[in-house]
Amino acid sequence: PAIPALVTLARQDGGAGNPPNCDGYATAYLWEQVWQRDAWLDLLGSFVHVEAAEAGGQTLFPRFHQWHAVTTLLEQTRVTGPGTNRLVQHSAGSGKSNTIAWSAHALSRLHGPDDAPIFDKVVVITDRKVLDRQLQDTVAGLEHTPGTIVRIDENSAQLKAALEGHAARVIITTLQK
């Protein structure tokens, strides 16, 4: 089946920058969406992250397209539940690893109307070893609760154990395993 486009970062006409806003300013998304009280509190609580000193000690703050991709993914998952394909389109150098990390953490914490978790596990699968290491570092860097993330860096037996176990909420592995 076709994968519906969830977020497109480039304008349809190929132009850069903010799309035209017939109802006001092109930057209206800032105060209409980002600075909206619940969005701002969620942004501070779920997205802003200060790296450990040995990792550089930088403060991570999402760019609008990253925040929009994650929040749209969560909203659509709340509506349709699990089992629906989604596509987040990113360009080179646009922060894919952080978007994936924020999405994985957010989906692992997502609960339905019955207050039950929607997903037992979130599995992040890459097709390249270099990208796998980078994603493992990025996703693990956002970990707040020790043991909720498992890096599959040994073999398929390690992946099987993580999938069958109860502690890990986010699993990161390569396609080869």
Side-chain angles (χ1 to χ4, degrees):
I3 298 175
L6 174 64
V7 176
T8 302
L9 299 178
R11 289 190 15 210
Q12 295 298 326
D13 63 4
N18 296 328
N21 182 354
C22 300
D23 299 323
Y25 295 102
T27 55
Y29 67 87
L30 182 61
W31 57 86
E32 290 174 356
Q33 296 175 47
V34 178
W35 287 348
Q36 189 270 337
R37 180 188 305 208
D38 291 338
W40 185 243
L41 291 173
D42 181 55
L43 198 133
L44 291 173
S46 300
F47 287 86
V48 175
H49 176 75
V50 178
E51 293 178 335
E54 59 271 6
Q58 295 182 354
T59 300
L60 239 65
F61 194 90
R63 290 176 262 171
F64 178 76
H65 68 274
Q66 294 169 310
W67 174 80
H68 185 259
V70 175
T71 56
T72 303
L73 179 65
L74 291 175
E75 289 168 16
Q76 292 300 311
T77 303
R78 278 188 193 100
V79 171
T80 61
T84 302
N85 294 327
R86 307 233 189 273
L87 173 66
V88 177
Q89 183 176 335
H90 260 283
S91 58
S94 61
K96 290 179 289 298
S97 294
N98 287 335
T99 301
I100 291 168
W102 282 314
S103 296
H105 282 280
L107 289 169
S108 74
R109 295 187 306 259
L110 189 63
H111 286 67
D114 60 352
D115 204 31
I118 292 179
F119 300 103
D120 293 327
K121 310 240 185 256
V122 174
V123 182
V124 178
I125 303 172
T126 64
D127 62 348
R128 295 181 308 229
K129 290 182 181 178
V130 172
L131 183 58
D132 182 52
R133 271 185 242 107
Q134 178 185 346
L135 271 173
Q136 285 185 6
D137 292 343
T138 303
V139 173
L142 298 178
E143 182 177 26
H144 297 290
T145 307
T148 59
I149 297 170
V150 174
R151 299 176 182 211
I152 307 302
D153 52 8
E154 294 174 14
N155 54 39
S156 58
Q158 184 188 21
L159 175 59
K160 181 179 186 251
L163 289 169
E164 292 174 343
H166 296 290
R169 299 285 308 186
V170 178
I171 300 168
I172 312 158
T173 187
T174 58
L175 188 61
Q176 293 80 6
K177 290 191 185 71

